[in-house]
């Protein structure tokens, strides 16, 4: 699949197994999602460019680095929120935008109910965050909206994806790189990913 990077790590596989398990309760689900988000953000930002800056150590002056562009994390509400706080522990300088989307349970189409972005999207590395890439409709709409607001460098971080969503995203936004921990088989007739992990938002927030 073009433009998809599957982040492989034994710890991610182990944590994802806990997330998939029906027997995993809310507290354990949250903890594992936080840990995976931290493991994944390293790879997502791996090729961010830095510029050299001087730094004075207690002994002398040497050359250090700072990020060339700001990082903006954009969780798609609500499930994306479950990954952002732990990523901010790794990238505390990141700004956070939010896009609120819920899917219409009849048409499965996303409907936007909230959009709030920091200034400077044009110069930033913008990471859309949602644990699930199912039909791809929410991710596509979020990317379209972010581009209209000026974003030029977009990546999409998710935990579990499937070929339908990847195809849709690649088709409409071939420039948006997709980072995922797993590509599952497909969607059921309710547009849930199978085998998947169920409704990520419900499992994270305990609204089952
Ligand atoms: N959203 C989810 O939370 N889970 C899915 O399987 C699909 C969409």
């Amino acid at each position: 699949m073009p433009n998809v990077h599957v982040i492989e790590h034994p710890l991610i596989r182990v944590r994802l197994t806990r997330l998939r398990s029906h027997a995993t309760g809310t507290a354990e689900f949250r903890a594992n999602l936080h840990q995976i988000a931290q493991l994944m953000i390293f790879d997502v930002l791996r090729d961010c460019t830095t510029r050299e800056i001087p730094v004075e150590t207690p002994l002398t002056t040497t050359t250090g680095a700072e990020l060339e562009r700001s990082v903006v994390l954009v969780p798609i509400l609500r499930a994306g929120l479950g990954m952002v706080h732990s990523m901010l522990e790794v990238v505390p300088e990141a700004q956070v935008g939010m896009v609120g989307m819920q899917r219409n349970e009849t048409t499965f189409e996303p409907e936007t109910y909230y959009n709030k972005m920091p200034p400077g999207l044009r110069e930033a590395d913008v990471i859309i965050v949602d644990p699930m890439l199912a039909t791809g409709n929410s991710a596509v709409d979020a990317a379209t909206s972010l581009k209209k607001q000026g974003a030029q460098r977009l990546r999409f971080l998710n935990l579990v994806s499937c070929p339908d969503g990847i195809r849709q995203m690649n088709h409409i936004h071939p420039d948006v790189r997709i980072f995922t921990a797993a590509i599952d088989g497909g969607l059921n007739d309710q547009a849930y990913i199978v085998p998947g992990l169920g409704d990520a938002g419900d499992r994270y927030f305990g609204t089952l």
Side-chain angles (χ1 to χ4, degrees):
M1 297 237 178
N3 229 357
V4 183
H5 180 67
V6 180
I7 302 177
E8 292 275 3
H9 194 287
L11 287 176
I12 293 180
R13 280 200 298 280
V14 169
R15 306 281 181 270
L16 180 55
T17 304
R18 298 306 308 149
L19 291 178
R20 286 191 192 279
S21 170
H22 184 247
T24 299
T26 305
E28 194 187 348
F29 189 92
R30 284 182 189 146
N32 281 278
L33 188 59
H34 294 165
Q35 289 158 7
I36 291 186
Q38 291 194 336
L39 293 165
M40 292 183 81
I41 193 66
F42 276 107
D43 255 16
V44 176
L45 297 180
R46 185 173 294 281
D47 64 354
C48 279
T49 49
T50 56
R51 66 175 147 247
E52 290 187 354
I53 52 166
V55 55
E56 287 190 27
T57 76
L59 305 177
T60 185
T61 301
T62 185
T63 304
E66 67 180 7
L67 287 176
E68 202 160 34
R69 291 186 286 273
S70 55
V71 173
V72 178
L73 306 175
V74 182
I76 299 180
L77 305 182
R78 98 192 132 128
L81 270 187
M83 300 180 82
V84 163
H85 287 108
S86 59
M87 293 195 296
L88 285 173
E89 286 174 17
V90 179
V91 203
E93 60 271 68
Q95 295 163 290
V96 180
M98 284 189 201
V99 54
M101 286 186 182
Q102 59 192 12
R103 69 174 183 172
N104 182 309
E105 292 299 339
T106 311
T107 62
F108 306 132
E109 292 294 322
E111 296 171 345
T112 303
Y113 61 88
Y114 186 73
N115 185 298
K116 180 81 179 171
M117 297 299 150
L121 284 183
R122 187 171 297 281
E123 294 78 34
D125 284 309
V126 179
I127 324 290
I128 303 169
V129 180
D130 192 340
M132 311 302 281
L133 174 56
T135 61
N137 292 336
S138 307
V140 162
D141 278 16
T144 303
S145 162
L146 282 160
K147 285 181 180 176
K148 281 189 191 144
Q149 294 171 81
Q152 294 186 321
R153 289 176 206 81
L154 281 165
R155 298 163 204 209
F156 177 45
L157 164 59
N158 63 81
L159 187 57
V160 181
S161 60
C162 66
D164 311 64
I166 293 171
R167 264 195 299 273
Q168 174 80 341
M169 197 63 181
N170 274 335
H171 178 59
I172 314 254
H173 294 295
D175 56 307
V176 177
R177 270 188 294 157
I178 300 169
F179 294 81
T180 188
I183 303 177
D184 278 12
L187 298 171
N188 68 10
D189 59 3
Q190 299 294 304
Y192 280 95
I193 296 176
V194 180
L197 48 76
D199 188 303
D202 278 344
R203 295 197 63 195
Y204 185 85
F205 290 104
T207 48
L208 290 162

